[in-house]
Amino acid sequence: MLQLEIPLARSSDPVTSHAAADSAKELQARHHRIILAALEAHGAAGKDRLAVLTSLTGVQVCRRLVELERMGKAAPTGKTVTSTAGRQEREWAVA
């Protein structure tokens, strides 16, 4: 299981935020695994394509990609792809 070292709640957050962060850790790790598996199986892709491949929302994918980048597990390729809205977005690959 991938372990994220970035805190999900700030030290100044209320105790309820820390409880929510603790319960979200496994879901976050599951999303990491799903996204990495999609990148490995289908190759480099943008956030919107990954959302389709994984059945995650674009927001979930975007947040997890940033985390995966910080962990050294995924990285932008330097290329852009067309999003579902017709805009350019970064293409990502397994690092």
Side-chain angles (χ1 to χ4, degrees):
M1 173 168 56
L2 297 173
Q3 293 296 320
L4 185 64
E5 297 190 20
I6 300 165
L8 298 177
R10 295 177 294 271
S11 59
S12 60
D13 286 346
V15 70
T16 54
S17 293
H18 289 275
D22 287 342
S23 69
K25 285 181 184 178
E26 179 51 38
L27 181 62
Q28 181 185 48
R30 182 174 171 268
H31 289 178
H32 289 160
R33 291 189 300 271
I34 291 168
I35 291 167
L36 288 173
L39 287 171
E40 289 169 353
H42 301 281
K47 167 192 64 81
D48 286 352
R49 175 81 175 127
L50 286 168
V52 169
L53 291 170
T54 62
S55 297
L56 298 172
T57 68
V59 171
Q60 290 170 319
V61 171
C62 189
R63 288 182 180 167
R64 299 298 88 88
L65 284 170
V66 171
E67 294 163 358
L68 288 166
E69 180 179 25
R70 289 178 183 159
M71 296 165 68
K73 302 288 184 182
T77 65
K79 298 177 184 177
T80 60
V81 295
T82 304
S83 73
T84 55
R87 298 185 190 101
Q88 293 299 297
E89 64 182 22
R90 294 189 294 173
E91 180 185 68
W92 292 80
V94 174

